[in-house]
Amino acid sequence: MPNRLAHETSPYLLQHADNPVDWWPWSAEAFAEARRRGVPLYLSVGYSSCHWCHVMARESFEDEAVAAYMNDHFVNIKVDREERPDVDAVYMEAVQAATGQGGWPMTVFLTPEGEPFYFGTYFPPAPRHGMPSFRQVLEGVRQAWSERRDEVAEVAGKIVRDLAGREISYGDSRAPGEQELSQALLGLTREYDAQRGGFGGAPKFPPSMVVEFLLRHHARTGAEGALQMAQDTCERMARGGIYDQLGGGFARYSVDRDWIVPHFEKMLYDNALLCRVYAHLWRATGSELARRVALETADFMVRELRTAEGGFASALDADSDDGSGKHVEGAYYVWTPAQLVEVLGAADAELAARYFGVTEEGTFEEGASVLQLPQQEEVFDAERIAGIKERLLTRRGERPAPGRDDKVVAAWNGLAVAALAETGAYFDRPDLVEAAVGAADLLVRLHLDEQARLSRTSKDGQVGANAGVLEDYADVAEGFLALGSVTGEGVWLEFAGFLLDHVLVRFADPESGALFDTAVDAEQLIRRPQDPTDNAAPSGWTAAAGALLSYAAHTGSEPHRTAAERALGVVKALGPRVPRFIGWGLAAAEALLDGPREVAVVATDVTDPASKALHRTALLGTAPGAVVAFGAAGGDEFPLLADRPLRDGEPTAYVCRNFTCDAPTTDPERLRTALNG
């Protein structure tokens, strides 16, 4: 009989709806039930494409005896971290403080007041490698609760007090300057892996936000070292197994330092960020590899993640059926030499094995290989390789596909809107711009209420109950701003303004300018979450700083610019010390130092080829964070177009920064020079 999760919309929660565990969703009713029964709560946090979440579910949550013990002695809560990042954040902070590490599935035991007192991540069904079994953990917690309740309460209270006493090293209200950004670059240089690209050791995550900073820093200063790190990292990733060489798109991370073997789940946020980064790399260098990867990643998102309602699904699982009914990580993606022969025949299989680095020994498990590009493509027959890739992709499509989390997350869709809009504009792909508009329309139609408050998620056209957090407001605003620049439709600037006004009023500390992850009127947890560091995606804090800055450049709004500068004070404090973990903040700081530049392209007619060409030239400018307004002369779509006439009856571009404007120009080449110097 299904449990309470059967009424939820989260795919992750629905995966547990038929467990014998009597799960509750996160709710006041669950805590009231724990108080009524006088028992602790077991909180399990995960997400649908989490490999070890599935493993623990199969081993423990589907076990009738374990489930019965859980039901007898605990109120059990299951949370999708992607729906409730606030719940995840506050308890993950406790887990990391207590154990020195964190991850998912996250295991936390709580008092009925929500105070944590015992923590962990994955626990096996039987003791191994020094880890207790999950049943032993349950029994130990129950015994402590029954026999040492005062001690448990004391521990829980101390943890909550310690968390409440933690303060972010905010720095001051001044944004970072040249010195701090140079120190950040030096720090990145020290951590850079010159042989393999990227930063640090295994596991290796795609450093999309850091690469954006490096590209902007090079554009502003001409620092060749910054560009070289960005180029080499992007090339290594694109040639490695972390990139899907057949279908496009990136896996979550590489388990090794060489980008060969990925953790195979594909996340929307990774692919949106990387699509945009590769498009920006092409814009800066003209790299054909960057162009191909940007377009293939955009096509992957539209083909495999777009939902029927026009939004973008959250993720594809790492696991899939290997053909025998067993779910295995990577089964959909890896190949053996024998499988190549079966599809291609001996001659083409031999060529494919050399091209993709498939060997008898394999690079993955049981002799299988993850496809990569160990050699330069130029030495191969391009037409023959294209045919091979098409045949392999067709055969792969006949394999059982990984599961898809169809949940639409507002923040990640905002990132996708920005990436698809810009990629479509750069490469003359109106279909990608249309996909961006479709996702933006869904966010307005479904996620935005009459007061411009955002809901965090939707699924199958049904909006979720959870309120948007700071990253939702910031990333959706970022997407709307990019879309407005590309389409010339000022309504997107207007919607971005609505969202950023909420940031100023409901998420910002009026005294310090610091930003919180949840709104002032959001559900009260044991701590109001607040984290400026970038992780898998930009933090809400740094994303908001960037969006506020862009909006101020578009509108001249002093409150928004002041808020951006105050928020970037944290980058002044953290950038020189931990640059890998505040890349988006560093990128926003580069835009601030450059102005950012304000570009108004006044068209004779928005459909006129000469006007469109001047507009595209503006979009292709590498000046960090430059904002672009495009519209017909006399139009009022954007404030930057006001009082900006045509020159000699021709499409005209105006470039300003720091209250100083260049002479208007009708020459695309002069505009290009103005935005790339």
Side-chain angles (χ1 to χ4, degrees), residues 294-593:
L295 285 170
E296 287 177 353
T297 303
D299 286 335
F300 155 74
M301 287 192 288
V302 173
R303 183 181 67 248
E304 298 191 36
L305 294 180
R306 197 177 190 190
T307 68
E309 296 75 31
F312 290 90
S314 298
L316 298 181
D317 287 354
D319 302 1
S320 59
D321 191 326
D322 66 357
S324 69
K326 182 180 178 183
H327 270 64
V328 176
E329 183 176 2
Y332 187 70
Y333 299 101
V334 298
W335 297 83
T336 63
Q339 289 172 328
L340 294 181
V341 171
E342 180 186 346
V343 178
L344 302 172
D348 278 355
E350 188 275 333
L351 177 62
R354 282 193 292 118
Y355 184 79
F356 289 119
V358 177
T359 65
E360 289 292 341
E361 298 78 16
T363 56
F364 189 52
E365 298 170 354
E366 300 180 0
S369 291
V370 183
L371 302 188
Q372 50 181 315
L373 296 182
Q375 303 180 58
Q376 294 293 326
E377 300 97 299
E378 291 79 7
V379 302
F380 295 89
D381 182 333
E383 186 175 345
R384 190 175 172 192
I385 290 296
I388 285 172
K389 290 175 71 172
E390 184 177 351
R391 289 152 69 192
L392 291 176
L393 186 61
T394 298
R395 176 59 64 90
R396 193 177 80 175
E398 298 170 1
R399 295 175 174 178
R404 188 174 86 164
D405 184 339
D406 283 334
K407 177 173 71 270
V408 171
V409 176
W412 306 347
N413 273 254
L415 297 175
V417 167
L420 292 170
E422 291 184 354
T423 303
Y426 295 170
F427 303 119
D428 195 21
R429 285 283 304 274
D431 59 310
L432 297 180
V433 178
E434 288 173 11
V437 171
D441 281 340
L442 176 71
L443 291 170
V444 171
R445 185 175 72 252
L446 198 59
H447 286 244
L448 209 59
D449 70 11
E450 293 178 353
Q451 287 77 45
R453 294 186 179 222
L454 271 173
S455 292
R456 169 76 174 170
T457 61
S458 66
K459 183 178 179 293
D460 299 330
Q462 179 181 346
V463 69
N466 298 307
V469 295
L470 179 61
E471 71 164 351
D472 295 305
Y473 284 83
D475 288 338
V476 172
E478 174 79 15
F480 287 172
L481 289 166
L483 188 59
S485 288
V486 165
T487 62
E489 296 175 359
V491 66
W492 301 115
L493 177 65
E494 186 177 356
F495 280 128
F498 294 153
L499 297 174
L500 294 172
D501 285 345
H502 279 291
V503 171
L504 297 182
V505 174
R506 299 173 58 228
F507 291 89
D509 183 328
E511 298 298 322
S512 68
L515 297 169
F516 290 93
D517 293 333
T518 54
V520 67
D521 52 355
E523 177 186 353
Q524 296 288 308
L525 302 175
I526 59 169
R527 171 179 169 85
R528 190 177 179 190
Q530 182 185 46
D531 186 359
T533 58
D534 301 324
N535 196 326
S539 69
W541 187 318
T542 60
L548 286 163
L549 184 63
S550 294
Y551 183 78
H554 265 293
T555 63
S557 169
E558 190 58 37
H560 291 83
R561 185 176 178 95
T562 299
E565 291 175 348
R566 297 180 77 191
L568 287 173
V570 77
V571 182
K572 183 174 183 178
L574 299 181
R577 290 194 284 131
V578 287
R580 283 173 58 192
F581 302 101
I582 199 151
W584 198 259
L586 291 167
E590 285 289 345
L592 180 63
L593 278 185

Side-chain angles (χ1 to χ4, degrees), residues 5-18:
L5 301 185
H7 304 294
E8 298 297 307
T9 59
S10 160
Y12 176 64
L13 299 187
L14 291 171
Q15 287 168 0
H16 295 272
D18 292 316

Side-chain angles (χ1 to χ4, degrees), residues 90 93-94 97 116 158-166 526-527:
V90 296
E93 187 176 13
K158 182 178 185 304
I159 290 169
V160 171
R161 288 192 299 275
D162 287 348
L163 291 176
R166 290 185 169 209
I526 59 169
R527 171 179 169 85

Side-chain angles (χ1 to χ4, degrees), residues 19 37 130 160 162 199 202 282 289 374 592 632:
N19 291 168
R37 290 175 52 192
V160 171
D162 287 348
F199 301 88
W282 171 84
L289 176 67
L592 180 63

